[in-house]
Amino acid sequence: MPESQPITVRQDVPGPERSIAYFSMEIGLESRMPTYSGGLGVLAGDTVRAGADLNIPMVAVSLLYRKGYFRQEIDGEGRQTESPVGWAVEEFLLETPPRVSVSIEGRAVGLRAWKYVVRGAEGFQVPVYLLDSDLSENTAWDRALTHSLYGGDARYRLCQETLLGIGGVRMLRALGYRNLLRFHMNEGHASLLTLELLDEEAKNAGRGVPSKEDVESVRQLCVFTTHTPVPAGHDKFPVDLVARVLGPRDLDPLRDCFHDDGVLNMTCLALSLSHFVNGVAKRHGEVSRTMFANYDIDSITNGVHAATWTAPPFQELFDRYIPGWRQDNFSLRYALSIPKPEVWKAHLSAKKRLIEHVNQTVRAGLDPNVFTIGFARRATAYKRGDLIFHDMERLKRISSRAGSFQMVFAGKAHPQDEGGKEIIRRIFQAKDRLRSAVPVAYLPDHSMEQALWATSGSDLWLNTPLPPLEASGTSGMKAALNGVPSLSVPDGWWLEGHIEGVTGWSIGDKTPVHREGRDPASDAASLYGKLENVILPQFYRAPDSFIDVMRHAVALNGSFFTTQRMMLQYVLHAYFG
Ligand SMILES: *Cc1c(COP(=O)(O)O)cnc(C)c1O
């Protein structure tokens, strides 16, 4: 995890010309800065870290979230409760002088920005500005707009997105970024930035109202990445709410972005006003093209920031055998030549770290000698965290016949996601039923730090989404960097990273059986079969060949599914293309 470090800012220096401005509703900068909720925010942080490594002139914008996402507590029955996270903003960030103002529901809402600096492997700096409306001049309601990530109702959310999109562009201008080359919208939350850019274009041309040419100029400036095929992931706001929040404006050039039922679809807004649009894996690109048939949608597969997501024992190992891997992640390809005993030793060290953490946190009594399955990601219905518990008698039989195993779970459910909360309760019920036959631990309050321990310290990384809903998934990429193979439903990135028995194993076959036709019983049966007949026997009785899979996970997947490769593709296709 990047440490917070003393920051020196020179406000007189204007932003570099031809920078990329990266906008994201959430961003994972440090584990203890609660400005992220899960995969999307971690990806945003990894994107900026990779940009800094590659010396890409970039600046990132998000909101501050003084009360964070939420702290998760779970009771003995698996019921999640949420509380605000208090954190000392000044310990991590430096306040910057400019103030800008955004009109919301007719009120002028003042905004300031806090600066965080991401330093690349060779010292190049990428600034991140977190917008804060908690200023004495604002009303209590407006001051709370940058308090909670994904909190509140549609009105609260639209106001937040107005601050991010419109306020973000104004803040960058006030900070001296006058000639930005591209605006990259990480998900539709940032789409309103296009309205501010349209107004700028119109104003520069001396027009009161944006014209068709202005729309074309803005399109050349914008890049949009869509992140999910789940409908709830695409923000839609009733046009009367939009009119109330943004005030009267001529939305005529944006008619295409409205559904006939009178909602502004933030994804359509971004799609209509971007010259390059992508999904986050090959399959997700295909699915997005069927969802939004009128648009040209490419794909750039997600990655993770290699140095951030490699646990210390593997960092040391790579430093010894593959010097330069931090600057050039592709060189992890040479992990195939690291001696197997060294790989195993590093893995045991990472595993010990995880098991100690689990036993300390939830007193689970896990055994570092026992095969450990990890599953840590957002708790939500389509991720099916409870699929492995479909047949608990079968699990007990597998454990006694093929070799014992234990499981580590973690993940937060969004406060309003009842389906996700139900998944956590079911995992707790399974834990009680399986007891010592198959020990199960659920770690509360998942974080980036815990994600590093879980993905590096497990022996197998499990993923059971309902296809095609896993747009990419990134935790399996973190596991791969640490030599931890995946057992996963073929969806998202795994369709690209999976080679059976070489980089891990698949659940069910690769033909795209999508959600309607997908039978959980047959996915569970396939999972059990792989575990009982292939994975456990190999782990306990042919460790040499298991370690060979571990090395291939690093060499074939760890080397490729990085944000370094991803950013090079953005440079090639979206930023400078
Ligand atoms: C990587 C990460 C995720 C994303 O996991 P998926 O596999 O994409 O579901 C979520 N939360 C945290 C804290 C992470 O570090």
Side-chain angles (χ1 to χ4, degrees):
M1 241 38 58
E3 292 297 316
S4 66
Q5 37 216 328
I7 294 163
T8 46
V9 219
R10 290 188 48 205
Q11 293 306 333
D12 50 327
V13 179
E17 298 294 289
R18 294 174 61 79
S19 278
I20 307 299
Y22 183 79
F23 280 64
S24 183
M25 192 73 171
E26 51 169 310
I27 185 162
L29 295 168
E30 287 186 35
S31 193
R32 282 164 309 140
M33 286 176 69
T35 54
Y36 63 97
S37 84
L40 183 72
V42 172
L43 177 83
D46 283 356
T47 298
V48 172
R49 287 183 274 276
D53 287 346
L54 291 167
N55 300 357
I56 297 175
M58 267 184 100
V59 53
V61 180
S62 188
L63 302 185
L64 178 67
Y65 306 118
R66 262 172 208 283
K67 296 183 181 173
Y69 183 45
F70 65 85
R71 168 162 298 115
Q72 178 198 46
E73 277 166 305
I74 310 177
D75 73 8
E77 260 99 71
R79 281 184 298 243
Q80 167 182 301
T81 50
E82 304 98 22
S83 52
V85 192
W87 60 295
V89 168
E90 297 81 0
E91 265 177 35
F92 297 88
L93 302 162
L94 195 79
E95 187 184 349
T96 62
R99 297 286 183 271
V100 298
S101 157
V102 179
S103 167
I104 288 191
E105 297 174 339
R107 300 181 302 280
V109 177
L111 266 185
R112 72 177 142 187
W114 295 79
K115 184 177 187 179
Y116 183 91
V117 175
V118 173
R119 285 184 171 75
E122 276 151 13
F124 185 80
Q125 299 185 8
V126 173
V128 181
Y129 293 98
L130 303 181
L131 305 176
D132 178 17
S133 66
D134 197 346
L135 295 169
S136 56
E137 74 217 48
N138 293 332
T139 67
W141 199 79
D142 292 332
R143 292 180 71 159
L145 282 175
T146 54
H147 283 181
S148 303
L149 173 57
Y150 303 140
D153 55 9
R155 175 186 168 217
Y156 182 81
R157 181 74 82 88
L158 180 60
C159 292
Q160 284 192 320
E161 296 186 10
T162 304
L163 293 182
L164 176 67
I166 295 176
V169 173
R170 290 189 187 164
M171 183 58 78
L172 289 178
R173 301 304 189 205
L175 285 161
Y177 291 91
R178 308 234 172 266
N179 201 6
L180 288 159
L181 184 70
R182 297 275 191 259
F183 290 80
H184 187 167
M185 295 171 266
N186 187 42
E187 194 50 297
H189 310 127
S191 304
L192 294 177
L193 71 81
T194 59
L195 300 188
E196 181 65 10
L197 295 179
L198 279 172
D199 284 353
E200 285 185 347
E201 289 292 331
K203 210 162 140 199
N204 289 343
R207 278 187 279 270
V209 179
S211 69
K212 273 209 154 69
E213 296 132 63
D214 297 330
V215 171
E216 205 31 59
S217 315
V218 171
R219 287 188 78 245
Q220 291 314 313
L221 285 172
C222 293
V223 171
F224 172 51
T225 302
T226 174
H227 283 268
T228 178
V230 180
H234 299 265
D235 280 342
K236 298 181 187 92
F237 298 106
V239 280
D240 53 346
L241 178 67
V242 175
R244 231 181 314 134
V245 169
L246 296 180
R249 70 161 55 232
D250 185 0
L251 294 170
D252 220 41
L254 308 173
R255 231 173 307 132
D256 294 352
C257 316
F258 292 96
H259 279 294
D260 7 278
D261 47 348
V263 294
L264 173 61
N265 181 322
M266 297 293 274
T267 303
C268 292
L269 178 56
L271 286 166
S272 308
L273 284 157
S274 296
H275 81 283
F276 180 88
V277 177
N278 68 291
V280 290
K282 297 264 181 234
R283 169 61 51 82
H284 179 233
E286 287 164 24
V287 172
S288 301
R289 284 191 287 276
T290 65
M291 290 173 76
F292 305 101
N294 300 331
Y295 299 95
D296 191 8
I297 303 178
D298 217 308
S299 69
I300 292 180
T301 301
N302 279 344
V304 296
H305 185 252
T308 301
W309 294 106
T310 300
F314 273 89
Q315 291 197 11
E316 285 157 30
L317 188 66
F318 297 155
D319 284 341
R320 266 192 290 139
Y321 285 91
I322 315 174
W325 67 280
R326 293 164 201 266
Q327 285 80 7
D328 177 1
N329 301 165
F330 294 112
S331 63
L332 288 171
R333 167 88 198 186
Y334 304 114
L336 287 178
S337 60
I338 302 176
K340 287 182 182 175
E342 296 269 23
V343 172
W344 190 242
K345 211 170 109 200
H347 175 62
L348 285 186
S349 166
K351 186 173 177 183
K352 205 166 140 254
R353 183 75 187 82
L354 171 65
I355 303 290
E356 271 168 12
H357 171 69
V358 174
N359 289 345
Q360 260 170 28
T361 318
V362 294
R363 291 192 290 282
L366 299 193
D367 179 346
N369 299 310
V370 167
F371 185 75
T372 303
I373 301 174
F375 185 106
R377 49 177 64 82
R378 196 154 50 89
T380 194
Y382 84 81
K383 301 233 185 201
R384 300 191 297 179
D386 58 339
L387 185 84
I388 191 169
F389 302 116
H390 189 81
D391 181 347
M392 288 192 256
E393 294 313 309
R394 178 89 198 265
L395 279 182
K396 289 184 197 170
R397 282 202 306 277
I398 295 171
S399 173
S400 63
R401 282 184 199 158
S404 54
F405 60 95
Q406 56 197 8
M407 287 185 249
V408 176
F409 286 85
K412 294 176 177 179
H414 183 277
Q416 266 130 46
D417 184 354
E418 288 308 322
K421 290 181 170 182
E422 174 63 21
I423 301 252
I424 302 178
R425 284 195 294 272
R426 285 207 212 114
I427 296 172
F428 269 69
Q429 284 155 14
K431 171 166 84 81
D432 290 343
R433 279 191 49 193
L434 290 164
R435 258 178 273 151
S436 57
V438 179
V440 173
Y442 202 109
L443 298 168
D445 207 33
H446 198 42
S447 64
M448 287 170 68
E449 188 178 29
Q450 191 164 267
L452 176 62
W453 294 337
T455 51
S456 61
S458 301
D459 295 308
L460 181 71
W461 196 249
L462 180 67
N463 195 18
T464 49
L466 193 57
L469 300 182
E470 181 86 318
S472 164
T474 50
S475 59
M477 302 171 180
K478 302 169 191 169
L481 275 167
N482 294 281
V484 174
S486 283
L487 169 61
S488 172
V489 167
D491 196 17
W493 83 280
W494 191 234
L495 282 164
E496 300 164 43
H498 163 255
I499 306 172
E500 186 69 12
V502 177
T503 57
W505 302 272
S506 82
I507 296 169
D509 55 41
K510 249 182 165 160
T511 51
V513 180
H514 283 178
R515 68 197 120 158
E516 301 79 19
R518 199 99 193 168
D519 176 13
S522 89
D523 277 345
S526 167
L527 190 170
Y528 298 145
K530 289 276 160 77
L531 207 52
E532 176 164 19
N533 305 318
V534 182
I535 304 168
L536 283 166
Q538 192 178 75
F539 181 83
Y540 283 116
R541 293 189 275 288
D544 229 49
S545 62
F546 191 88
I547 301 169
D548 204 41
V549 177
M550 296 179 69
R551 286 198 308 200
H552 279 85
V554 180
L556 299 188
N557 288 347
S559 69
F560 183 81
F561 294 97
T562 65
T563 37
Q564 181 165 90
R565 182 264 318 145
M566 182 194 85
M567 279 305 263
L568 291 170
Q569 290 183 315
Y570 278 109
V571 163
L572 205 57
H573 302 292
Y575 293 163
F576 306 117

